[in-house]
Amino acid sequence: MHRICKAAIASIWFMLLTLPVLGIKLNTVDRTVSWRFDRILILGAAIFGLALIWDWCFTRKARGLPLLSLPRAGGFFARLATLRQRPRVLTAALGAVLGVMVIMPWVSSFYQTNIMISALLYVMLALGLNIVVGLAGQLVLGYVAFYAVGAYTYGLLNQFFGLGFWACLPVGGVMAILFGLALGFPVLRLRGDYLAIVTLGFGEIVRLTLQNWTSVTGGPRGIDNIPRPGLFGLQMDISASTTYVYYLVLAAVIVTIVVISRLKNSRVGLALQALREDEIACEAMGIDITRVKLSAFALGSCWAGFAGVIFAAKTTYINPSSFTFMESAMILSMVVLGGMGSITGVVIAAMILILVPEYLRAFSEYRMLLFGLTMVIMMLFRPQGLISGERRRYRISAPHGDGKGELP
């Protein structure tokens, strides 16, 4: 009975709070007011049912009882995470995925190819942020600023100096690195919420600068007529150019995955992971905290700069409204949902968060509601993400013949 009363109170509160938004429709032309109590009642019934399910789930969780769906989901994620331990299966799966991605532009529509280009760009961004957040443990909320730096580097260099895409691509990465170092120096001693607030302010400073420096960046009007990537001077129509950009982004994603995979198991990557686990112990072990943090910001921002240059070439038009805080929040959601430090999980999460909303346009009124509900459920029952980042394990073997065997 107590559970039903709590669900009823929650339902009534939601009905009262949403009444001005969902229950009233104002017609400014006829000056009439229409009441939509049916929507409010449906919402109240839905909240009542969800509140009962919510309370039941947390009651079982508090008692240590598993939910019916959790063992199966856990087994699925565990099998997905241990796939790398079976090289033949992993190679076959990667080959199949790569084959599908290669032939996709020839068997799908122009719209599908454009969607996939956007998804692959966000994969690059999420993997870059995964270096800073997932490996180094530094919470950054203004990551989109480096994305904007790369895009505007290409737009401005082309507008004022006539440089092409291939000349601006490395310059965009270098400029993003310089901005990453400029952000990294002032925040060397910050951590946690303070670091997040400073990086959020940095992202807003960059966006407002682009919006108000009208004489250089064009202000809110932005920069248009940015040329697409060229291929040995060949003239391509919009369809062929889109296909070319798709393969370019696909190659960039493959290079990003390979480089970050190698980085993760290198000395720099291990230092980043040590910094994430315990900064004080990391410094006590002789690791240069200053250099490691600056390396994290530089490496993470570099990939955002590359992605920004490709984004500007894809859209041929950029303005400050494309680089808001919501973009940073979306990229961070991909890292958290996929599993911090996990490359496979971040790739899957980026694909899900970009492709699923596009394919659910028929439910456009409820897309964000479903998105928020999915994120809440994931954070409650799978807080480590789809695939948690693997940890290196070492076994110390004693010399042969001393009878001590191996130490775990």
Side-chain angles (χ1 to χ4, degrees), residues 57-58 61 67 70 376-384:
C57 290
F58 272 93
K61 190 174 182 180
L67 301 180
L70 287 181
V376 169
I377 293 175
M378 280 295 301
M379 291 303 100
L380 287 175
F381 301 113
R382 188 73 185 178
Q384 67 270 35

Side-chain angles (χ1 to χ4, degrees), residues 148-175:
V149 167
Y152 270 87
T153 296
Y154 179 31
L156 294 175
L157 289 179
N158 179 263
Q159 182 181 25
F160 292 104
F161 301 100
L163 297 181
F165 171 81
W166 293 107
C168 294
L169 183 61
V171 178
V174 171
M175 289 299 298

Side-chain angles (χ1 to χ4, degrees), residues 27-44:
N27 191 331
T28 57
V29 177
D30 298 334
R31 296 184 179 181
T32 58
V33 178
S34 301
W35 296 90
R36 297 181 175 182
F37 291 111
D38 53 340
R39 293 189 175 188
I40 300 300
L41 292 176
I42 292 174
L43 177 64

